[in-house]
Amino acid sequence: MLKSKTQLLSVEHKEDLDVALQILLKGGLVSVPTETVYGLAANAKSAAAVKSIFAAKGRPASHPLIVHIAGADQLIKWAIDIPPVAYVLAERFWPGPLTLLLNKAPEVPSEVTGGKSSIGLRVPSHPALLQLLKRGNIGVAAPSANPYKRLSPTSAQQVFAELQGKIDAVLDGGPCEVGLESTILDLTAGQMCILREGPITAQQIAELTGCSVTVPSQHDIAVPGNVAEHYQPRTPLFIGTRAQILARLSEAESTVACVFYANTAELPVNAYIRCLPEAKPAYAQALYDTLYKLDHLKVSAILIEQPPQGAQWGDVNDRLRRAALPF
Ligand code: TXA
Ligand code: MG
């Protein structure tokens, strides 16, 4: 569906929230803020609306979408055979960046789940989106609001630049607080399994539930839509040590951009150099935004310094592994 004009709405204006809700209820597409990344939302009970998400993103229809709901009390509308551990996790981590995979309720359109028998569900914590879900008494299917295979957007301006003309509206809710996509936890098998690492770690889930959690290293091929070449800027991205980057920088003939971790001492001063914060939450929040902006500088490559690799950094390293080539 080609939309001619995309409205830019703001969560600051009550009437804009009303407009966003009306568009969703009528089967249109609205990019909505979440705490992780901006989503491209459609009423999840409307097969036609959900189909138009795939058209706007240029994404294959076999890729399942996450349904965003207002609270754990809504789970029974979307899933069946819900194990008690789902409620334990919901109580602790919702609203928040944890997506639970459960067995899909038969009445959910198969377009939402790419024909799969499972469904991804989460309660987002952005107050404006929660308000829309509650007021409309709806669930919205929403993938990240990026064109297929590109970086997930963490600001309304980024969504607007990439998708204007293809969607009805973008609801500006400010920069995303978390900045990386949610953890996806599969609860449909006997053993809990993380399909995509995210802000909620396997350790946090295991500690809370007392059950073990697997994080398969090859999970990127397990699910359509979770493939290696996602999460990339257009510019080639390379990851290495600071010494490798500085050596490459001294040889480079064409302009390259660099992203360093923490300590800025003794770094060259240059318009194409960025430093990301030392603390993991602040690093994650800035990562996509930084890559997105550098991507628009028309440099020949972006060189990124390897950040720490401890358990807390699992999601950052997962995304960098998919996006970057080693030196
Ligand atoms: O933080 C997030 O999760 C963001 C915000 C908007 O909520 N959403 C997001 O959606 O990242 P998307 O579509 O870009 O990524 C969702 C991932 C895909 O890799 C998809 O394959 C997987 O979730 N997924 C969704 N439903 C699934 C299912 N039923 N079975 C297996 N994987 C599923
Ligand atoms: Mg995505």
Side-chain angles (χ1 to χ4, degrees), residues 228-239:
E229 68 268 26
H230 271 191
Y231 313 103
Q232 285 171 351
R234 290 179 173 85
T235 314
L237 179 68
F238 296 91
I239 185 160

Side-chain angles (χ1 to χ4, degrees), residues 37-38 57 59 66 142-153 181 196 225 230-231 288:
V37 300
Y38 273 74
K57 267 185 77 104
R59 169 167 166 159
I66 294 171
S144 50
N146 49 297
Y148 183 51
K149 291 189 178 175
R150 300 264 74 98
L151 285 172
S152 297
E181 302 85 351
R196 179 176 71 188
H230 271 191
Y231 313 103
Y288 285 162

Side-chain angles (χ1 to χ4, degrees), residues 36 59 64 66 68 116 118 122 143-144 182 184 196 223-225:
T36 58
R59 169 167 166 159
I66 294 171
H68 300 69
K116 290 176 72 71
S118 59
R122 87 176 184 97
S144 50
S182 63
I184 300 182
R196 179 176 71 188
V223 188

